[in-house]
Amino acid sequence: MAERPRRRRALAIALGAAVLAGAGGGLWYWNLPPTGIETPQSACWGVLTQEDLRAVTDEGYRSTGSQNGSPTDRANTGAFCNVSEQDLDGDTRGRARGLLGINALREDEYGQKMKTEAESGGWAPIRPVSLDFGPAAQGWYFTNGTVQLMLRCDEPPPAVASSLPPRPYIKITVYGSQWTDRTPLTRLHQIRADAAFRVAQVLVRDQGCTNDPQLAARAPAVPS
């Protein structure tokens, strides 16, 4: 008799996942056994590897991930992905904390100018370190491990004229927890720089940017 309720629960979970996928978002659970981690290839638009998720997740816990929108969708002004950590039994009362977050937001010329002036002009004593993501991008590394990348991706003229200013810039931000019991902080911060670079690569590849933006051959190394 116990087998039937288990089957019903499994069916309900599968149907719930299908509804989430159809709504344009997604939710995944990554169980972390001692030998490794298993993640769907589509998690966070494919920019996080199994090694990345293993590094950010503490021993004896599991990662949960959700995403909304896509950085390659021209009609979407913003895309988000979040990875959190939970107890293996799903009891969030014992522990639930954010591990990694990624967002890609479109900016107009004014937003790009304000961002660049703020990062290059001061914010002392927390002025970020510049990161070289290539000639088409500006990059910053903050003392809390947050990595940002500003990429210009010009789009073809719209079929219908719009009174809104164009948003040719895309600001990619990757942030996360500053604590883990298995991975040094420098490694966690490098994962963020790698993820930002991969999102930029996906954008350049799939958006059809008319200005042909050029990126570096690989993600820059974060300061140790």
Side-chain angles (χ1 to χ4, degrees):
M1 296 294 292
E3 184 66 25
R4 184 171 298 173
R6 283 198 294 268
R7 289 180 178 175
R8 289 177 178 172
R9 284 195 296 271
L11 179 59
I13 292 172
L15 289 174
V19 170
L20 281 171
L27 177 65
W28 305 276
Y29 287 90
W30 301 307
N31 292 318
L32 185 66
T35 56
I37 193 167
E38 182 177 353
T39 173
Q41 189 174 4
S42 59
C44 288
W45 319 297
V47 303
L48 295 177
T49 67
Q50 293 184 7
E51 290 74 18
D52 293 339
L53 292 168
R54 185 184 299 111
V56 302
T57 308
D58 294 317
E59 191 72 43
Y61 293 85
R62 72 177 180 182
S63 298
T64 66
S66 62
Q67 70 184 38
N68 187 46
S70 170
T72 62
D73 182 2
R74 290 178 179 172
N76 198 325
T77 57
F80 305 87
C81 182
N82 293 289
V83 179
S84 300
E85 183 176 79
Q86 290 185 354
D87 295 332
L88 287 175
D89 60 4
D91 181 10
T92 58
R93 294 173 299 175
R95 182 176 187 174
R97 65 186 184 95
L99 298 178
L100 189 71
I102 305 173
N103 62 58
L105 302 175
R106 287 197 170 275
E107 297 277 2
D108 58 16
E109 294 282 355
Y110 177 77
Q112 186 273 341
K113 181 179 179 181
M114 293 296 294
K115 173 67 179 174
T116 301
E117 288 182 351
E119 306 306 355
S120 63
W123 289 18
I126 57 170
R127 183 182 296 116
V129 175
S130 294
L131 292 180
D132 184 8
F133 285 97
Q138 295 170 288
W140 301 277
Y141 170 77
F142 293 84
T143 55
N144 66 352
T146 295
V147 173
Q148 286 192 325
L149 184 159
M150 184 79 78
L151 172 72
R152 175 154 190 155
C153 176
D154 290 337
E155 299 180 287
V160 179
S162 173
S163 59
L164 297 175
R167 294 187 172 189
Y169 295 94
I170 301 173
K171 182 174 67 177
I172 302 165
T173 305
V174 187
Y175 52 93
S177 171
Q178 285 292 89
W179 184 88
T180 179
D181 60 8
R182 67 160 63 208
T183 306
L185 278 178
T186 301
R187 170 63 180 142
L188 293 180
H189 297 172
Q190 188 62 52
I191 288 171
R192 297 169 199 172
D194 293 344
F197 181 68
R198 292 176 192 139
V199 173
Q201 284 183 309
V202 171
L203 284 165
V204 171
R205 183 191 69 207
D206 295 348
Q207 280 276 19
C209 310
T210 58
N211 57 320
D212 190 25
Q214 299 297 309
L215 296 172
R218 61 181 61 85
V222 300
S224 58

